[in-house]
Amino acid sequence: MIELHCHTTYSDGTLTPGELVAAAVKAGVVALAITDHDTVSGWDEALAAAQPHSLEIVPGVELSTVHNDRSLHILGFYPDAKKLRGDLQDRVEGRKRRAAQMVEKLAELGYHIELPDMGEGMAPGRPHIATAMVNAGYVHSSREAFDRWLADGKPACVEYEKFSIVEGIALLRRSGGVPVWAHPYLFRGGTVEPVLEEMVAAGLMGVEVYHPTHSPSQVDNLKKLCAEHNLLMTGGSDYHGPCDLKGKEAIRLNMLNLPLDLLEPIKQAALDLRD
């Protein structure tokens, strides 16, 4: 069984890469993708932790792009970290600026918080801000922080800095990474079919068909679209930990029971990009 969408403490997960590896082994995962937001800093720790086990680490990333003024995430599998790091550092600096602006907005509203210090290649996001609000006693839960202040359109929310789907796909392909649209039905800036056509024209190579938020009919439609556009199919739980920074507990590792044969075409596509 494979997991091709997971997060660690290097972005907004609650488990370190080593802890995530241990949890994946326990859950029966045989191939685990580390896909933190806009950083590849967790790869080395995950690879080292996986060595004593029969667990394959799939190096990945989840890019935060903006399309039609809404957040759209693109997964990248098997990119060359050396070719990515400079551009990703720019993305991380943008995330830091965004977090600082949200903290300023909250202060103007009377909610003064401090964000945790994070290491190199890491930046705080809305889940970290929500946790800080809980710790400061302003809200009872991270979910309340999102619902009242931090979700899209709420008073303290700040949009991502502009980074288009065309730029994101091009960056991944330049680095040898296979670009895949993450959880298409969570996108709020348009319907799936026309947006997918735009992304295919820009060089998209796959779609995250299997995701906990996708209904059976949505999965079937994505399968059909992948066949029509000759796209790879991927899937994962989008795991952020046993209790993520937003307070959600329903997501479990290996809950989708995805077969290993989904991974081989992705590996081949990555090899083809480097030829």
Side-chain angles (χ1 to χ4, degrees), residues 14 19-20 27 37 67 75 92 96 127 154 162 202 225-226 257:
T14 59
E19 290 169 341
L20 176 61
H37 293 285
H67 187 60
L75 294 163
V92 167
K96 288 179 180 177
K154 296 299 180 178
K162 300 300 183 184
L225 291 170
C226 284
N257 294 307

Side-chain angles (χ1 to χ4, degrees), residues 76-146:
F77 297 103
Y78 300 104
D80 184 332
K82 292 179 181 178
K83 295 180 179 179
L84 262 185
R85 281 201 170 95
D87 290 283
L88 287 183
Q89 188 57 42
D90 292 341
R91 305 304 309 143
V92 167
E93 293 304 319
R95 291 176 73 89
K96 288 179 180 177
R97 287 190 291 269
R98 179 182 185 235
Q101 290 168 13
M102 284 189 279
V103 169
E104 289 176 6
K105 279 195 169 189
L106 285 170
E108 291 170 359
L109 294 165
Y111 303 99
H112 299 272
I113 62 169
E114 291 187 8
L115 289 176
D117 291 329
M118 304 188 75
E120 184 179 354
M122 303 165 65
R126 282 185 290 182
H128 300 98
I129 295 172
T131 297
M133 292 188 75
V134 173
N135 293 339
Y138 294 130
V139 291
H140 292 98
S141 67
S142 292
R143 176 48 51 195
E144 181 185 356
F146 269 83

Side-chain angles (χ1 to χ4, degrees), residues 59-81:
V61 68
E62 185 171 9
L63 289 185
S64 307
T65 71
V66 176
H67 187 60
N68 295 338
D69 294 322
R70 291 299 185 106
S71 172
L72 187 152
H73 289 177
I74 303 173
L75 294 163
F77 297 103
Y78 300 104
D80 184 332

